Amino acid sequence: MVIELTKRQEQILQIVKDEGPITGEHIADRLHLTRATLRPDLSILTMSGYLEARPRVGYFYAGRPASSVISERLHKLLVNDYKAVPIVVSESASAYDAIVTLFLEDVGTLFVVNQKGYLAGVISRKDLLRASLGNKTLEDVPVSIIMSRMPNIITCAPEETLYAAAKKLIDFQIDSLPVVRPSEEDPKQMELTGRVTKTTIAKAFVELGSEPKV
C-alpha cells in the first residue's frame, strides 16, 4: 500500500532534501512547530522509507520507497498503448462458427459485432460450452442467443490506465475486456478498438520489470 503524504510531510521531505542531515529540532524550527508535533510525521516518513535517522546526526533523505515508484509507473501505463487486436464474430454467426473461430485464433473470448460493426455482445468459452452440452445442432444456434449483451458488458476505454483495466478483470472475475469508445454517429453505440486480457497485463508487468534500473 502506498502512503499518500500530507502537505506537512512533503514540506519535511523538502527541508531534509535541501539541508540534510538535519535534526528533528531544526526541522521543527523551520516549520515553526514543536518537536512533539512533528514526531508522528517523522516516524511515518522514516518507517515508510523516505527518511533515515541516525543518532546524534539527524535525518537523511533516503529517496522514494520502491513501492511508491512502482505504483506511479503502473498508473502511467495506458490501455491504448497495450491493447491487442479484438477477435470478432458477427451477430448472425452460429455457435459452431464461434467455436471454430475460438480455436483457430486461440483465444478465450470473442466479441460480437452488429451489422454496423458496433459492439453487440461478448461470448466466452463457458457460453459456448454451455450451448454445446445441449442436444441442439450448433450450426442452428446463433451467437446472439448465448452471448452477453450490451449494456451488461464490462468495458474499458483507451485512455484508462492498465491498472484500472486489471482491477476490472479481477473484480468481475473475467478474462477479457473490450476496449471501446462511443461512436461519433451514435454515442449510444460503442466502437470496438481493441481488447485487454490477463495476458496483456502479464506482458506489461514483465516489460515493467525488464526496464533498466536507474
Side-chain angles (χ1 to χ4, degrees), residues 6-211:
T6 65
K7 183 177 180 180
R8 187 163 70 192
Q9 289 166 355
E10 290 178 350
Q11 290 176 324
I12 293 171
L13 282 182
Q14 191 59 53
I15 291 171
V16 177
K17 281 182 185 179
D18 296 339
E19 304 181 36
I22 183 171
T23 65
E25 287 77 13
H26 285 143
I27 296 172
D29 288 342
R30 298 289 188 279
L31 295 174
H32 306 291
L33 297 170
T34 65
R35 176 72 171 82
T37 301
L38 285 189
R39 189 172 291 114
D41 294 314
L42 291 170
S43 296
I44 289 172
L45 292 172
T46 303
M47 288 187 294
S48 59
Y50 284 97
L51 298 180
E52 288 184 11
R54 296 182 185 176
R56 297 185 297 278
V57 177
Y59 292 92
F60 294 82
Y61 180 65
R64 297 170 63 195
S67 59
S68 175
V69 176
I70 292 171
S71 176
E72 182 177 298
R73 290 166 70 185
L74 280 175
H75 282 79
K76 287 182 178 179
L77 303 181
L78 298 181
V79 165
N80 195 53
D81 297 327
Y82 287 88
K83 65 183 182 184
V85 176
I87 307 302
V88 304
V89 292
S90 68
E91 202 170 9
S92 59
S94 69
Y96 177 82
D97 294 331
I99 290 174
V100 171
T101 303
L102 198 75
F103 278 96
L104 289 177
E105 298 290 345
D106 192 23
V107 293
T109 304
L110 298 174
F111 302 109
V112 184
V113 295
N114 59 26
Q115 292 181 342
K116 292 187 176 181
Y118 298 132
L119 180 65
V122 173
I123 188 165
S124 67
R125 281 180 291 194
K126 286 184 179 180
D127 296 326
L128 294 170
L129 178 60
R130 192 179 299 115
S132 66
L133 291 177
N135 295 321
K136 300 176 183 177
T137 303
L138 293 179
E139 287 89 343
D140 298 331
V141 179
V143 294
S144 58
I145 292 179
I146 58 177
M147 71 184 185
S148 298
R149 290 182 171 274
M150 289 291 288
N152 300 317
I153 298 173
I154 308 303
T155 66
C156 64
E159 63 272 13
E160 281 187 51
T161 65
L162 207 58
Y163 173 84
K167 194 171 187 308
K168 287 180 181 179
L169 291 174
I170 293 171
D171 289 347
F172 293 98
Q173 299 182 5
I174 51 180
D175 295 325
S176 184
L177 288 171
V179 183
V180 299
R181 63 187 175 200
S183 167
E184 293 182 1
E185 295 181 359
D186 183 358
K188 293 182 180 180
Q189 299 290 338
M190 292 293 167
E191 294 180 358
L192 183 63
T193 68
R195 65 186 166 106
V196 170
T197 67
K198 291 178 179 178
T199 300
T200 309
I201 305 301
K203 286 181 178 179
F205 183 78
V206 171
E207 179 181 311
L208 193 63
S210 301
E211 291 181 3

